[in-house]
Every structure is written in structure tokens, then in C-alpha cells.
Amino acid sequence: MSSYGNPAMTEHTKVDFGAERVDGETASTPGPTVLEKAAPRSERMATNKIECNACPVLCQISEGRTGACDRYANAQGRLIRVDPVVFLSRADAASLDKTNPANLTDTTIEFGAASPTQDSLADPSLFVTGIGASSTYPDYKPAPFIVASKRDDVDMITVVTEGIFSYCSFKVKIDTDRFLGPEQSNVRCQGEIVGHVTTAEYGSQMLSLGGVHHLTGGSKKEGRVTCDMMLALGNKQAVEFTIDGGASLVIRAGAAPIVDGVEEQRMRVGCGSATIGIFAKQWFDHVDEVVVVDDHITGVLTEHQAGRCLGMARSGLKIRGRKSTPGRYFQVANPGTGWGGTDIHDPLAIVEGFDPAVAKPGMRLLMVSTTGEHAQWYELDHDLVPRIAAMPDAVRRTVERIGENCEPSLATVLFLGGAGGSLRAGATENPVLLTRAIKQKLVNVTCGGAPAYVWPGGGITVMVDVSRMPDHAFGTVPTPALVAPIEFTMTYDAYRDLGGHLDAVRSLESVLANGPDHTEGAPLARRTLASNPDNPWPPAMPPMLG
Ligand code: SF4
């Protein structure tokens, strides 16, 4: 598995404002292209250069070179888009023709040619994503694609663009009870601070990574490393992190996290108290006491309400930590990577002893972690000292049942971006109307065809699971900022009412035949991918119509 964050890897090339790319790569790399009209040549620009005006960097690109973001190139004096526009089809992946290069993500399409997709020009099941669609700069231009379609006899409009996001971050949920580091600790990549540990959730540790502060508020190196880290994470690549005062991590969206070199297997079934509640009846008659070791709440069966309801006699076991309520204890140990997310490796370390007025020799004690990965069976000797003994089959089955109820541990990566700024001008001359229409649920927002959650309150703050987006959906520009696809879909009437760029509306057939408006008739290079089966289809039906 390759991973980002290894200092030995090649660093992303960065050029200064107005400079050409300097790493010697050329645009001869075969790949799908979208032709674009270059910006007017400035007087100081060499004659063999053209200026890319797709972002504020305004690269001056020499013949045969790419711009700083690798997305645009100078091909014989014409500004071309190196990668294709990604379309989604409702056809499932198995039915797409794998001999067709357009349907393979790792196959490139001949330079300058329209991709030979199997989709019909009139196929209403095609959806244009913002991936490869290009962005608009300055912002007052209409979005690259404003596409008309029909859904159930209703005229629809999808505004398609790539947004350039400075205000963006990734929220990462890591399904583990192991201690990754104190909350608020710095998270580092290649030694640079790129985020922090944030509030833990039920069964998961949480990281907040990237964001405008690290992209633009620190050193140049911090901004570059942050940007490259975000690109890799969003594009579902593995990224290495270290946490100050905590663990080292390898995170890849949709894959098991690797903590201190060990791949995590199970997400805990619940806290110690919840585990007692779930399994109390299955333990009844087979045990005299159960302690479920957990960094959050350690549970003690006979003291817990579940044991009391079953009429279980108290065992006299005394546990360390701070008692919260009967049978529920906080802070029995320090956080760590041992039993139940604590730092203990011998579970008896949290047992203070047994009350001799209550406990009896021969009592049976199960100590188990919240994932069932750790479990030990004891019997009290004549001095009321717990001695390890062979675990009965009936009890072992309950431990296995705990493991069976644990879900696989995953790292989940959500992109969070602020689309409430100038990007809106690509959709309408009166941007606040777009914001209001989204809040009124007249407009559906997707990112690369994946459903986006729009936060309540001001702005258009979208959140999307990168696992539901097509591969390689993100790009960067060296400002530094992240490039992410975004699509706004609504009825034609809603688009008209919010002051949309009606002059720029085109049919899907026109888009496929002519590319973006400013390409002057060049065919559109595209790649058609099967829609993620986990996503709704059509991907962009506004809630009021869905
Ligand atoms: S960074 Fe990319 S989009 Fe921006 S001007 Fe350079 S080539 Fe164009």
C-alpha cells in the first residue's frame, strides 16, 4: 500500500504566481482533454507561452508543459484540460463495457479526442459531475456547464463546476476505542501541524484535518503539506499521521485504520455499561460476576441495574476508579492501547479486592473488553484471590458473541467545504437567492454525484463522504487550496426564479458535442463511470421532487 506522508515520496510541484511549471513534466502524458480558450496574452509573456485563467494563480504555461496544478496544459498554443469530465451512468459497474477505455478509471483517452463512451447522446440517465468540469475565474462567468434535462416530465437544470476551496477540511472518524492522543492535540503530517484531535464519539476517535488556518495561516511549508495531505485523503489514498503525545496512524477512507503499526479490527460493541446491559441475560447462571473493562465506563454486572433486575447477588468485588452510578465506573485506568482503550494489560490491575463479608471461595469472575478481543476467566481461591482458570464453553460463546456484534473498524473521511462565496456567481447574478433556495430545499447539492449534507445556518457549508464520490475527484491549486466538484440541481422554474444564467443553459447533447461554452465547438472529452450504488439515482433530485 502506498501512502502519503512518507518523506521519501516526491513532493508536489509548486510554482509561484505567474511562473511556469518547473518539474519538467510535459503535456504529452496521454490523457483526456477539454480544450479551453487561453486568456489574452500579456505583453510581458514569452510568445511560446499561454496564460491559464482558470484560477488566480494565472500560470504562464510553455508549449508542451502543464500548469502548476497539473490540470491544464499548453498543447500547440492551445490551453487544454488534461483530465476528462466525469459523467455518471445509472448502469451498474458490471454492465459497463470493460473493453471500452472510457469506462476504466486507469485508462487514458487519446490526447485531444472525445472519449468513446458507450452512452447515448440522448441518454437521460447520464449525470454531469463537476469532476474535470473546470472552474470559473473571475467568478462572474457562468459555471462551465449549466445543463438542461428532463426528469419525470419536469424541466431540470444542473449547474456544474469545480470549486476552489480555501475554507475546507476533513472530519475523520476512526472506529477504535484505542487512545490516539489527548483531545486538542496537534495532528502532524511530515512533521507539519495539519489538524487536531477533536471530541471523541461513541466508539470512535475523531480528527479534524486541514482547514483554512493550516492552508494559509501558517508557513508556506505547512500550507503545502496540508494541501497535499488533503488531496491524498480526499482521493482515498493512505496518509500517515502522528499525534502529539499519542499514536501514529495510517488513514485511508473506507479502510481499517492502522494504529501504531497494527491494523484495527473491531469497533467496540458499546461502552462497558452498555455491554453489561446487552449481555447480562446471557451471562446469568454462568457467572458470579462480570467486569467489562472500558476507558469510558467500566461495568460491573452484579452492581449494575441489569444484574439487579436479574436478581443477581452482589459479588463483593471492589473496583478502582470513580463511581458514576451503580455498576458504572469512570477512570479505572489511563487511556491507552490495552484492554478496552485503557493502558492496562493485566485486568486485575483495576480490581482492588473482594469484600470478605460478601465474596466466597470458588466465585466465578469474567473480565472482558468491549470488543471481546481481551477476555479472562477467574475463580476465587480460599483467600479470595482470583486465579486464572479454564473458561467454560458457555461463557466463551458470550465472549465470541461480543466480537460478533462488533462492526468492522473503519476510517471514514468527510469533506467539509464552504461553497457560499463567489462560487455562487457561476450559478446566478444574485448569489443570496441560490443560498436561500438551497435552504428552502428547492436545490439539491451533490459533490461528484454524491449526496451532500448542507449545514443549517448561514452560507452553503456542505459535507460529503468521500467514499461515495468517484475516485480522484479532488485536485489542488497552489494558492494553496483544494479543488472539489460541486453540482446544484433544481427545476428550471426554480433556476429562473433565483436569477440563473439562462443564456448559458444548454442541453446535454450540446454539452457532449461542444464541450464548455468557451471551447468554440471542441468535442468534450469525458469518462463515464457507473454511479455508486450507495448513492440515490438520479443523484440530484431536489428534496421537494424526490
Ligand atoms: S494552477 Fe492550474 S488552474 Fe490555476 S492558473 Fe495554473 S494551471 Fe490554471
Side-chain angles (χ1 to χ4, degrees):
M1 176 175 62
S2 65
S3 65
Y4 176 73
N6 181 341
M9 74 171 281
T10 306
E11 292 185 345
H12 181 78
T13 301
K14 180 177 179 181
V15 297
D16 291 330
F17 181 92
E20 70 178 60
R21 193 184 142 105
V22 292
D23 68 354
E25 282 184 29
T26 71
S28 62
T29 306
T33 60
V34 174
L35 304 183
E36 303 229 338
K37 187 163 67 178
R41 185 179 302 281
S42 90
E43 300 223 334
R44 286 171 35 224
M45 203 182 339
T47 52
N48 67 338
K49 292 184 179 181
I50 56 173
E51 183 177 270
C52 174
N53 61 357
C55 93
V57 176
L58 299 175
C59 292
Q60 296 174 12
I61 309 173
S62 297
E63 166 68 32
R65 297 279 186 103
T66 58
C69 65
D70 291 338
R71 297 182 304 140
Y72 296 87
N74 178 344
Q76 299 169 334
R78 288 195 300 178
L79 185 68
I80 58 107
R81 179 66 191 240
V82 174
D83 45 341
V85 180
V86 171
F87 283 61
L88 296 177
S89 165
R90 105 171 80 198
D92 61 48
S95 69
L96 283 179
D97 178 7
K98 294 297 194 309
T99 62
N100 184 339
N103 296 329
L104 299 176
T105 55
D106 56 355
T107 303
T108 53
I109 299 164
E110 190 177 349
F111 183 85
S115 68
T117 54
Q118 65 177 26
D119 48 74
S120 154
L121 292 188
D123 185 349
S125 70
L126 281 181
F127 179 75
V128 190
T129 77
I131 303 168
S134 298
S135 42
T136 54
Y137 187 78
D139 305 302
Y140 54 74
K141 293 180 190 169
F145 301 105
I146 303 178
V147 186
S149 62
K150 260 204 191 300
R151 297 270 162 81
D152 300 330
D153 286 333
V154 178
D155 289 319
M156 306 292 296
I157 297 291
T158 302
V159 180
V160 180
T161 189
E162 281 179 317
I164 299 176
F165 293 90
S166 295
Y167 282 92
C168 61
S169 66
F170 288 96
K171 306 304 176 202
V172 180
K173 173 172 164 284
I174 302 168
D175 300 333
T176 181
D177 55 4
R178 289 185 218 288
F179 177 67
L180 302 184
E183 281 184 10
Q184 304 177 36
S185 289
N186 289 327
V187 178
R188 294 176 187 268
C189 182
Q190 294 189 13
E192 295 293 319
I193 300 172
V194 297
H196 62 275
V197 179
T198 187
T199 312
E201 300 299 345
Y202 197 87
S204 306
Q205 311 294 328
M206 305 290 290
L207 306 181
S208 180
L209 301 175
V212 70
H213 175 76
H214 297 296
L215 280 169
T216 63
S219 68
K220 257 185 151 181
K221 186 179 178 199
E222 179 179 332
R224 179 179 55 76
V225 170
T226 298
C227 195
D228 289 355
M229 174 276 296
M230 295 178 75
L231 176 69
L233 206 57
N235 284 341
K236 308 174 195 173
Q237 295 167 347
V239 183
E240 296 178 17
F241 299 98
T242 58
I243 297 176
D244 290 359
S248 66
L249 293 173
V250 179
I251 298 298
R252 182 160 63 88
I258 297 172
V259 181
D260 287 336
V262 179
E263 185 172 295
E264 189 64 287
Q265 301 292 327
R266 299 178 188 175
M267 179 182 186
R268 71 178 185 178
V269 66
C271 69
S273 173
T275 307
I276 291 277
I278 294 169
F279 293 98
K281 214 168 173 185
Q282 298 178 43
W283 283 320
F284 186 65
D285 266 353
H286 300 297
V287 302
D288 296 307
E289 186 61 281
V290 177
V291 176
V292 181
V293 182
D294 178 34
D295 176 52
H296 177 209
I297 302 173
T298 287
V300 180
L301 175 61
T302 63
E303 198 184 323
H304 193 279
Q305 183 66 4
R308 289 163 70 181
C309 283
L310 290 168
M312 293 187 77
R314 297 286 286 270
S315 67
L317 181 145
K318 292 189 231 164
I319 199 122
R320 298 188 198 282
R322 179 161 68 82
K323 185 170 179 175
S324 165
T325 55
R328 301 168 73 253
Y329 289 83
F330 297 149
Q331 300 161 17
V332 296
N334 292 316
T337 55
W339 279 54
T342 70
D343 63 346
I344 64 166
H345 296 279
D346 175 6
L348 294 181
I350 63 171
V351 176
E352 274 186 350
F354 289 81
D355 181 351
V358 180
K360 295 182 179 57
M363 281 182 61
R364 303 159 299 170
L365 167 66
L366 172 66
M367 299 199 73
V368 63
S369 70
T370 45
T371 59
E373 287 168 307
H374 297 99
Q376 191 67 66
W377 180 253
Y378 301 92
E379 292 174 6
L380 298 195
D381 67 12
H382 288 288
D383 298 320
L384 304 181
V385 174
R387 302 291 180 190
I388 292 176
M391 187 179 296
D393 287 345
V395 176
R396 183 165 303 286
R397 281 196 288 277
T398 67
V399 173
E400 290 167 356
R401 179 67 63 84
I402 292 174
E404 181 188 335
N405 275 269
C406 293
E407 295 173 82
S409 175
L410 288 180
T412 312
V413 177
L414 298 191
F415 170 69
L416 196 55
S422 59
L423 181 150
R424 296 174 297 170
T428 168
E429 290 179 353
N430 196 2
V432 73
L433 295 183
L434 175 64
T435 309
R436 288 182 192 152
I438 290 171
K439 299 295 160 59
Q440 292 164 359
K441 304 197 184 323
L442 298 173
V443 178
N444 191 45
V445 185
T446 51
C447 293
Y453 173 76
V454 182
W455 280 61
I460 306 172
T461 303
V462 299
M463 191 162 70
V464 60
D465 178 355
V466 303
S467 297
R468 299 176 74 166
M469 299 171 71
D471 293 346
H472 308 296
F474 291 88
T476 62
V477 291
T479 52
L482 212 60
V483 179
I486 191 162
E487 305 95 27
F488 303 102
T489 300
M490 66 211 89
T491 63
Y492 181 91
D493 291 349
Y495 191 53
R496 179 199 58 216
D497 292 347
L498 60 79
H501 302 297
L502 296 181
D503 291 349
V505 173
R506 290 182 300 146
S507 66
L508 182 61
E509 290 89 334
S510 169
V511 167
L512 291 166
N514 300 309
D517 263 342
H518 46 289
T519 62
E520 298 176 339
L524 178 71
R526 67 187 187 276
R527 172 175 292 150
T528 302
L529 304 174
S531 173
N532 184 326
D534 292 338
N535 292 342
W537 188 272
M541 191 64 90
M544 43 87 66
L545 291 177

